[in-house]
Amino acid sequence: MKKLPFCIRALIALLLLTGCSQQIGPSKNEIVENYDESLVYSGAHLKVSKFDIEDTENLGTKTEPEIHSRYKATFKLETSSLPDRMKKSFKDRGLDKKDLREIHGIAISRRSGDEWVTTFNVESEKSLY
C-alpha cells in the first residue's frame, strides 16, 4: 500500500481539526440581534449600524458557559416607527444617514435552552454628531 502524499495528509489533518473545533458562545449576528431587540424594548429609536467584538472570554464552564465579549457598537437613527413629520425633520437635518452614538461595553451571554441570552453593560458612550 502506497503512502499518501504529504499535501493530502495535511488536508485530512486540517479537516479533522476543524471538525473538532466548536464555537462556544453566540455568533456576532446573534449578539447584534439581541442588542437591536433590547433597544426596541427600551423605546430607543436607534439601530446598530456597526458592531465589533474586540475580545471574548468564557468565564463559565463548558456545560454552563458565560461568555463575556468586549464590544464597540455604533448606532444610527431608526425612523421606521416614527411619525412622518419627525422622519422628515430628521431627514432634513441629515440625521437619518449619520452614525449618532458610539458605545463601548461588555456583553454577557448565557445559554437558555437552545438559544443565547445576552445582556449589555455600557462602559462608555459618546455622541457622534
Side-chain angles (χ1 to χ4, degrees), residues 42-53:
S42 72
H45 294 285
L46 297 172
K47 182 167 181 61
V48 175
S49 61
K50 186 176 179 187
F51 193 91
D52 295 314
I53 296 176

Side-chain angles (χ1 to χ4, degrees), residues 4-109:
L4 290 173
F6 174 76
C7 62
I8 293 177
R9 286 183 286 155
L11 179 63
I12 291 170
L14 180 64
L15 290 172
L16 288 172
L17 286 174
T18 28
C20 295
S21 65
Q22 186 177 7
Q23 175 185 333
I24 295 178
S27 69
K28 178 180 169 181
N29 288 341
E30 288 173 305
I31 294 174
V32 171
E33 276 181 31
N34 273 235
Y35 215 140
D36 276 336
E37 287 173 12
S38 71
L39 291 170
V40 169
Y41 292 133
S42 72
H45 294 285
L46 297 172
K47 182 167 181 61
V48 175
S49 61
K50 186 176 179 187
F51 193 91
D52 295 314
I53 296 176
E54 298 168 346
D55 204 6
T56 300
E57 184 176 13
N58 180 8
L59 297 181
T61 64
K62 269 184 150 180
T63 56
E64 292 184 22
E66 183 177 297
I67 310 300
H68 289 230
S69 304
R70 179 169 293 285
Y71 70 88
K72 174 183 166 186
T74 308
F75 300 90
K76 287 187 185 257
L77 187 64
E78 173 55 58
T79 59
S80 63
S81 63
L82 294 175
D84 289 340
R85 179 178 41 77
M86 288 180 76
K87 283 182 196 177
K88 183 177 178 351
S89 173
F90 286 123
K91 188 174 183 176
D92 290 347
R93 294 185 298 175
L95 295 176
D96 60 331
K97 304 272 189 238
K98 292 182 180 178
D99 287 330
L100 301 179
R101 190 161 303 288
E102 180 180 279
I103 293 177
H104 294 259
I106 303 290
I108 302 170
S109 303

